Amino acid sequence: AGEVFLSVIRHADLLLFDYKATGEDAHRRLTGVPQKPILDNLSRADACGVEIYLRCPIVPGCNDTDAHYAAIAALADRYSRITRVELEPYHALGTGKDAKLGKESRFVTTMPDREWMAAVRDKIAAQCETPVFVN
């Protein structure tokens, strides 16, 4: 899988890389997949020299923890090719798809407002040198 990832990103100028959860247990619970391959691909992308925007969906009640914010900041500063962090506020667009598929939504949460997201941005920005933005 790593070779396929490398063969694709070698043709890219910019990689929008999602980082959704911190820690193996949380990552599996929230995404359904292990975290290690995600972090391995981030390392591969950095080594390839492609510019990276680290995109981080923030879901209240799921990944809105100080430990996750610290991990985002640490990743942003660890990899030289990450030039910005983009925080993505949770939205409920997937809940309609879940209903159509006859599934119960995994996330029952409120959508964060601009002030709350600005506070999250400030917490992360205080811990890293990489610019942090809210989309």
Side-chain angles (χ1 to χ4, degrees):
E3 298 79 29
V4 172
F5 180 76
L6 281 173
S7 70
V8 172
I9 65 165
R10 286 191 174 119
H11 300 285
D13 295 322
L14 174 65
L15 178 63
L16 305 178
F17 195 95
D18 280 12
Y19 180 71
K20 297 178 179 175
T22 297
E24 186 62 34
D25 291 341
H27 199 275
R28 272 192 189 275
R29 182 173 40 82
L30 295 173
T31 69
V33 298
Q35 185 177 40
K36 186 177 181 334
I38 305 303
L39 295 175
D40 289 347
N41 281 340
L42 180 56
S43 182
R44 287 182 186 103
D46 187 71
C48 271
V50 64
E51 182 179 9
I52 303 166
Y53 288 4
L54 189 65
R55 295 167 30 108
C56 305
I58 304 297
V59 184
C62 292
N63 69 353
D64 62 332
T65 66
D66 288 337
H68 184 55
Y69 302 156
I72 291 169
L75 284 174
D77 283 349
R78 179 179 309 133
Y79 295 106
S80 64
R81 300 303 299 169
I82 295 176
T83 59
R84 68 189 282 150
V85 174
E86 295 184 344
L87 304 179
E88 307 288 336
Y90 171 77
H91 57 76
L93 295 177
T95 57
K97 184 167 73 171
D98 283 344
K100 287 180 184 177
L101 295 172
K103 294 182 176 182
E104 213 174 298
S105 180
R106 292 186 299 163
F107 305 116
V108 178
T109 187
T110 58
M111 291 183 280
D113 61 27
R114 289 184 183 272
E115 292 78 22
W116 189 83
M117 287 301 299
V120 171
R121 179 200 60 223
D122 293 348
K123 284 182 183 182
I124 295 169
Q127 299 177 64
C128 69
E129 298 295 320
T130 307
V132 181
F133 300 90
V134 175
N135 284 342

